[in-house]
Amino acid sequence: MKVLKFGGTSVANAENIKKVQAIVASESEEKKMAVVVSALGGVTDLLLKTADLAVKQDESYKDTLQHIEDRHLETIQQLIPITSQSAIISKVKQHLNQLETLYEGLYLLGEITPRTSDKIVSYGELLSSYIISEFFKVAGLDAALKDSRDLIKTNKHFGKAQVNFKLTNTNCYFYLKGAKHQVTVLPGFVASTVEGETTTLGRGGSDYTAAIIAGAVDAKTLEIWTDVSGMYTANPKVVKQAKAIAKISYEEAMELSHFGAKVLYPPTVQPVLEKKIPIHIKNTFQPHEVGTLIVQEDFKEELPVKGISNVDKIALLTLEGVGMVGIPGISKRLFEVLSQEEISVVLITQASSEHSICLGINAAETEKAECAVNEAFAYEISLNKIKPVIIESGLSIIALVGDQMKSHQGLSGKMFSTLGKNNVNIRAIAQGASERNISAVIDEKDVNKALNVLHERFFEEQTKQLNLFVTGVGNVGEKFLAQINQQKKFLKERLKLNIRVVALSNSKKMVFNESGISLSNWQEELAEGEAASLDGFFEKVKSCNLRNSVFVDNTANDVVAATYHKYLKNSIAVVTCNKIAAASDYQNYQLLKKLAFNYNVPFLFETNVGAGLPIIDTLKNLIASGDRIHTIKAVLSGSLNFVFNNFDNDHNFHDVVQQAKVEGYTEPDPKIDLSGVDVARKILILARESGYQIDMEDIENIPFLPQESLDAPSVPEFFETLKTHDTHFNNIYEQATEKGARLKYVATFENGKAKVGLEEIPADHPFYNLEGKDNIVLFYTDRYQEQPLLIKGAGAGADVTASGIFADIIRVGSN
Ligand code: ADP
Ligand code: ASP
Ligand code: MG
């Protein structure tokens, strides 16, 4: 004999019930089957909600009741041929009338007992099993209905009654052995006391009903049909990469369900464990998928961690005080009082000093627990030997589960370092003596992130998801997005990096999409976004709370640069081509570096110097390998290089600068380049990254622009001055040409001092042949004393800058 159980979603409506019927019909070779069904999906919640409204004397309970009625009648109308409908509808109406009377009672009394509550919710399963059994018959199955309340006997613990297995096993065994029909349909969840009062087995208890029956009749298998294809490595609704576990031991399944894997009601394993009846979890909507087999087996060669689960709505109860040290019996008293109050303890930790005990309980029970424990220890509390109970709520437990965890070292280290790296604060830790699970209590808001990073670490080691929050979609930003789009596949396959752009913002709009903004069509998504605000953007990034988050600044904006510290403090990496932060006052630069270090998160700005050229990275590598930088000589302005390479007798200075701006080689305000400020910032950053404490005012800037240009209040006025001072520029050019030299704007750092200015470069100098918008840097170090280390290449332009940002993103990925 086989026992099959179909959950709420599987029987939520006529369409799904037809799928259920097809599955049962496909087992035609099976001589006998027990089919346990849940209430139509969501009906149990509706029944409880209606009761709550009635108790509060809110007339709208009638509307929800009507909704319950409609759902059932609609299902009948869609399943049963018209000619057979009336008898079934009239029976269902009878049930609904009884239900209505119960609700009227609640409305009048204004209160509800657990006994009445059980009576009310039982209608969910009573109605569904009746309708389904009638449909099975019209669909040609040899089926009959049996009320589980006649078979499953419990104590009077309404709401979550305990089963009397002796009576129940006998009832089930004899009834089903003698059953004349191939298929017996039974309502899940409901049971009764010996006196015949309706009880229930606890929320999600239909799984348990099926297991009780399977155990009693020594079924061949117990099939749990639900809306997912088995027990997954983590809740598939939260972790997209989760996979169904093919085989799992009873103990692992119990542990995962105890720690929140809702797909199986925790007590379900118990009735089938002794007889080693396999449990098969299958998907009603994908019946051909293999699902999960729960069996008694030793899976020695498997991964040590089988799954990760989470329980939400947890509170921590801490009892502490000097009066606890070395006094036996404190924990015993604590557990006794909790057990008397029927408060179940989900997790226990005790520091070895015995100075405190910390327990995880369901948040709904905190008040009851607090009162009971304070009362039980009132005497010690009055003597200040023990402090009144401390309660912290808004917490969740996440647990790693696996039989083989005990024979693997370092798993907890891996677990906690992964959580730490992602800024998930751990409030308490527990490890069962069986070492079948390691659990941690964390903030509820971190659960999503924690599950995903742990899943990545233990099951997808090979791929890493990076979540990008990008601000600035101008020249550089646009190219950057196009490059990611183009390289996505390669990165995933070759570098095992999965890059997702979660947010985009320009100065007007911002858009968030946790499943990733389409990179071929982002303009449209952004256009439909909400009004942009820097604070709003940050708050949203923070509340997304995604693992491996990276804030990407593609602007040149000082207000954006002033927000970096907030990101770093939340363990969000910062990648920027904006020079303002790294070139701001030393204290701020230092603070950002320190935050990055303390929060163990990258702060990268390679593109601040030489666009995509690996200048800062090389510098860092030199220093990390023990070298010391003495002198840096560089041409660092692609824009100025472009200008002076194109400026000659045939092209006037104004037009060349204009062209550089149009081609995107200058800052939006070209004065920043031409005044030397931009180059000064770059050499400042290089000096700082070489380990020197230096500020902008320490840099000597020898200007070549006339004062009037330097003072120009706007970009157009600046360009005007370039025209009026044409001769000035021509003179500079002539002087250099006469000496056979070329003009280059050079930055120098030597003996702890930096300077920038236009220089006449003779023909035998490495800078002489620098073409186009190229940059060049010479590093003179301990190791490179005579022949400097030279880096040269395109140092300006949106494309190379974008690729430099991209390279930083990849560095974050390999961090
Ligand atoms: P049913 O109504 O069929 O009893 P449930 O809603 O009780 O279904 O359980 C199935 C749900 O359990 C899934 O839809 C999924 O959201 C949730 N779930 C949580 N953890 C897991 C897990 N580890 N594997 C599979 N499902 C899980
Ligand atoms: N219908 C009940 C519930 O929603 C039992 C179950 O579906 O397992 O809790
Ligand atoms: Mg369930």
Side-chain angles (χ1 to χ4, degrees):
M1 178 163 178
K2 250 187 179 181
V3 180
L4 294 83
K5 177 261 170 176
F6 293 89
T9 321
S10 305
V11 299
N13 51 42
E15 194 191 331
N16 296 0
I17 294 173
K18 285 181 188 161
K19 295 198 166 87
V20 169
Q21 188 270 334
I23 291 166
V24 176
S26 71
E27 306 264 0
S28 56
E29 77 288 356
E30 204 60 43
K31 269 213 205 94
K32 263 188 199 170
M33 282 177 272
V35 173
V36 176
V37 295
S38 287
L40 308 196
V43 164
T44 310
D45 287 335
L46 274 177
L47 288 162
L48 288 169
K49 186 178 164 198
T50 312
D52 190 45
L53 291 170
V55 167
K56 289 186 184 134
Q57 292 168 333
D58 180 336
E59 292 270 355
S60 70
Y61 85 86
K62 291 181 182 158
D63 301 334
T64 49
L65 180 58
Q66 186 60 47
H67 180 49
I68 294 170
E69 175 166 338
D70 293 346
R71 278 198 56 191
H72 288 92
L73 297 183
E74 212 169 89
T75 308
I76 297 171
Q77 281 150 6
Q78 289 168 10
L79 285 176
I80 312 280
I82 293 195
T83 44
S84 324
Q85 276 179 16
S86 63
I88 299 170
I89 290 180
S90 110
K91 181 87 182 264
V92 164
K93 285 240 171 170
Q94 256 178 37
H95 275 316
L96 290 166
N97 288 341
Q98 290 159 6
L99 192 55
E100 189 177 359
T101 314
L102 283 169
Y103 282 130
E104 277 163 8
L106 296 186
Y107 184 82
L108 290 173
L109 283 171
E111 63 173 15
I112 186 168
T113 61
R115 175 182 278 132
T116 320
S117 178
D118 267 4
K119 183 88 191 139
I120 286 175
V121 284
S122 73
Y123 280 93
E125 267 72 6
L126 296 178
L127 286 167
S128 68
S129 57
Y130 172 64
I131 296 170
I132 291 165
S133 67
E134 289 302 317
F135 171 61
F136 278 9
K137 288 184 215 165
V138 298
L141 288 174
D142 174 23
L145 173 69
K146 177 66 186 170
D147 189 338
S148 311
R149 293 178 298 180
D150 300 339
L151 304 178
I152 301 179
K153 293 292 161 186
T154 67
N155 66 5
K156 292 190 176 184
H157 198 301
F158 297 100
K160 198 175 181 175
Q162 265 101 47
V163 175
N164 177 334
F165 275 98
K166 215 167 149 205
L167 271 179
T168 303
N169 285 345
T170 318
N171 289 346
C172 293
Y173 179 79
F174 284 106
Y175 177 81
L176 286 162
K177 203 173 156 220
K180 306 235 168 9
H181 300 272
Q182 187 198 17
V183 180
T184 304
V185 178
L186 302 111
F189 184 49
V190 299
S192 73
T193 63
V194 187
E195 293 83 13
E197 283 177 293
T198 299
T199 55
T200 62
L201 301 176
R203 290 305 305 272
S206 295
D207 297 341
Y208 192 33
T209 306
I212 293 166
I213 295 171
V217 301
D218 206 353
K220 192 162 71 183
T221 65
L222 164 61
E223 291 180 359
I224 304 280
W225 290 83
T226 181
D227 58 357
V228 286
S229 297
M231 193 165 228
Y232 280 61
T233 45
N235 186 349
K237 304 246 163 88
V238 183
V239 179
K240 290 209 178 70
Q241 330 284 349
K243 296 221 162 43
I245 306 167
K247 261 191 189 182
I248 187 169
S249 74
Y250 289 117
E251 286 78 10
E252 288 170 327
M254 264 195 280
E255 206 86 15
L256 278 175
S257 69
H258 175 74
F259 283 104
K262 185 185 166 220
V263 65
L264 198 68
Y265 182 53
T268 306
V269 171
Q270 181 209 327
V272 296
L273 181 60
E274 205 178 304
K275 294 186 175 159
K276 312 232 175 326
I277 299 167
I279 306 177
H280 202 166
I281 304 181
K282 300 266 293 173
N283 188 341
T284 306
F285 308 97
Q286 309 281 343
H288 300 298
E289 294 204 346
V290 283
T292 297
L293 197 59
I294 308 175
V295 281
Q296 186 70 59
E297 255 182 59
D298 218 0
F299 309 102
K300 279 249 155 56
E301 72 298 347
E302 302 231 336
L303 284 175
V305 179
K306 265 305 183 36
I308 308 167
S309 53
N310 64 299
V311 205
D312 294 337
K313 301 204 172 66
I314 291 291
L316 274 185
L317 179 156
T318 307
L319 191 66
E320 62 179 31
V322 281
M324 285 169 64
V325 184
I327 311 282
I330 298 266
S331 351
K332 179 168 168 275
R333 278 169 61 201
L334 176 62
F335 286 107
E336 255 166 20
V337 55
L338 292 172
S339 134
Q340 274 157 19
E341 295 294 324
E342 297 180 358
I343 292 163
S344 57
V345 174
V346 197
L347 169 138
I348 308 165
T349 61
Q350 178 171 26
S352 55
S353 71
E354 293 184 26
H355 176 247
S356 80
I357 307 178
C358 180
L359 306 174
I361 58 172
N362 289 320
E365 297 182 319
T366 42
E367 229 172 277
K368 192 159 84 168
E370 189 174 6
C371 294
V373 177
N374 281 342
E375 199 176 291
F377 290 94
Y379 178 65
E380 286 87 348
I381 293 173
S382 72
L383 296 179
N384 281 332
K385 294 207 156 162
I386 289 182
K387 292 187 197 156
V389 161
I390 304 162
I391 301 276
E392 285 163 90
S393 41
L395 303 171
S396 289
I397 298 176
I398 40 168
L400 291 191
V401 172
D403 281 341
Q404 297 307 320
M405 281 169 46
K406 57 181 176 296
S407 41
H408 285 77
Q409 286 82 36
L411 291 175
S412 45
K414 228 172 163 183
M415 174 179 184
F416 300 129
S417 67
T418 307
L419 293 175
K421 255 191 198 156
N422 285 280
N423 204 21
V424 175
N425 187 25
I426 299 167
R427 289 288 308 106
I429 295 169
Q431 178 165 26
S434 70
E435 289 190 44
R436 195 172 284 122
N437 95 61
I438 309 172
S439 26
V441 179
I442 61 171
D443 212 312
E444 216 158 58
K445 72 168 182 9
D446 287 332
V447 168
N448 203 321
K449 177 161 79 174
L451 285 176
N452 277 287
V453 285
L454 291 176
H455 196 271
E456 205 167 69
R457 188 81 169 93
F458 288 96
F459 296 100
E460 314 153 38
E461 199 92 332
Q462 55 296 24
T463 54
K464 185 169 186 179
Q465 162 100 34
L466 289 182
N467 294 300
L468 308 191
F469 298 83
V470 180
T471 181
V473 288
N475 265 347
V476 172
E478 195 173 308
K479 292 265 165 38
F480 170 64
L481 295 175
Q483 287 179 12
I484 302 180
N485 196 24
Q486 195 208 340
Q487 284 302 98
K488 248 186 131 152
K489 204 160 156 254
F490 173 84
L491 291 175
K492 200 164 180 176
E493 282 165 10
R494 302 291 286 278
L495 295 186
K496 304 292 176 208
L497 276 183
N498 193 15
I499 298 192
R500 185 183 288 161
V501 175
V502 180
L504 281 180
S505 174
N506 57 19
S507 55
K508 295 185 192 76
K509 295 268 184 180
M510 60 184 192
V511 64
F512 284 76
N513 181 348
E514 280 195 36
S515 28
I517 292 169
S518 150
L519 291 181
S520 39
N521 182 26
W522 59 266
Q523 287 91 342
E524 266 175 47
E525 275 192 61
L526 181 59
E528 281 162 22
E530 54 191 294
S533 95
L534 279 178
D535 283 343
F537 194 81
F538 167 71
E539 287 305 328
K540 203 90 180 241
V541 176
K542 204 168 95 176
S543 71
C544 281
N545 201 8
L546 295 174
R547 65 201 187 282
N548 306 323
S549 290
V550 188
F551 175 63
V552 184
D553 177 10
N554 292 328
T555 73
N557 190 304
D558 52 344
V559 195
V560 178
T563 63
Y564 296 170
H565 67 280
K566 294 202 275 187
Y567 289 94
L568 296 171
K569 271 186 199 157
N570 282 279
S571 295
I572 296 163
V574 174
V575 167
T576 177
C577 63
N578 181 346
K579 289 178 227 35
I580 295 197
S584 60
D585 63 80
Y586 188 77
Q587 234 178 341
N588 186 50
Y589 162 83
Q590 214 22 27
L591 170 76
L592 295 175
K593 294 288 268 190
K594 209 163 130 190
L595 288 176
F597 180 80
N598 288 350
Y599 288 88
N600 192 19
V601 64
F603 168 43
L604 301 178
F605 41 86
E606 177 65 75
T607 45
N608 282 5
V609 183
L613 294 176
I615 297 175
I616 296 180
D617 198 46
T618 306
L619 193 51
K620 279 187 187 161
N621 289 337
L622 287 175
I623 292 168
S625 63
D627 208 348
R628 233 163 28 96
I629 315 293
H630 311 159
T631 303
I632 305 171
K633 260 191 113 55
V635 176
L636 290 174
S637 171
S639 349
L640 285 170
N641 219 29
F642 178 92
V643 168
F644 287 104
N645 281 342
N646 287 290
F647 170 47
D648 53 26
N649 290 328
D650 302 329
H651 302 88
N652 76 51
F653 194 72
H654 167 274
D655 292 353
V656 175
V657 176
Q658 189 79 60
Q659 189 193 347
K661 179 168 192 282
V662 170
E663 295 194 15
Y665 298 144
T666 65
E667 295 285 320
D669 176 0
K671 193 167 70 178
I672 297 185
D673 295 299
L674 272 76
S675 64
V677 169
D678 187 57
V679 175
R681 280 179 186 158
K682 289 174 181 168
I683 193 71
L684 174 75
I685 294 170
L686 289 185
R688 284 175 174 179
E689 290 291 300
S690 305
Y692 294 89
Q693 176 171 349
I694 163 168
D695 259 307
M696 222 25 194
E697 32 312 347
D698 305 328
I699 298 176
E700 187 187 353
N701 184 340
I702 309 144
F704 71 90
L705 285 179
Q707 196 58 42
E708 200 192 337
S709 306
L710 288 171
D711 294 341
S714 71
V715 177
E717 284 161 285
F718 173 71
F719 271 105
E720 269 316 306
T721 66
L722 300 188
K723 259 190 201 155
T724 38
H725 290 275
D726 206 28
T727 353
H728 166 75
F729 298 112
N730 287 338
N731 287 343
I732 297 179
Y733 177 77
E734 293 299 338
Q735 274 170 25
T737 324
E738 274 167 24
K739 293 179 203 150
R742 294 177 82 176
L743 290 167
K744 302 284 165 197
Y745 198 87
V746 178
T748 311
F749 175 74
E750 206 165 14
N751 300 326
K753 291 208 170 64
K755 63 171 187 199
V756 296
L758 196 61
E759 292 184 16
E760 295 172 343
I761 303 292
D764 58 351
H765 194 278
F767 291 176
Y768 184 84
N769 284 318
L770 203 61
E771 296 304 335
K773 52 194 186 316
D774 283 4
N775 276 197
I776 185 167
V777 182
L778 309 178
F779 287 122
Y780 294 85
T781 73
D782 281 354
R783 287 183 205 140
Y784 296 91
Q785 297 215 10
E786 318 274 272
Q787 278 304 316
L789 175 68
L790 182 154
I791 302 169
K792 179 178 163 185
D799 248 324
V800 282
T801 306
S803 71
I805 299 170
F806 201 171
D808 271 348
I809 300 288
I810 293 168
R811 285 184 191 109
V812 174
S814 50
N815 180 41

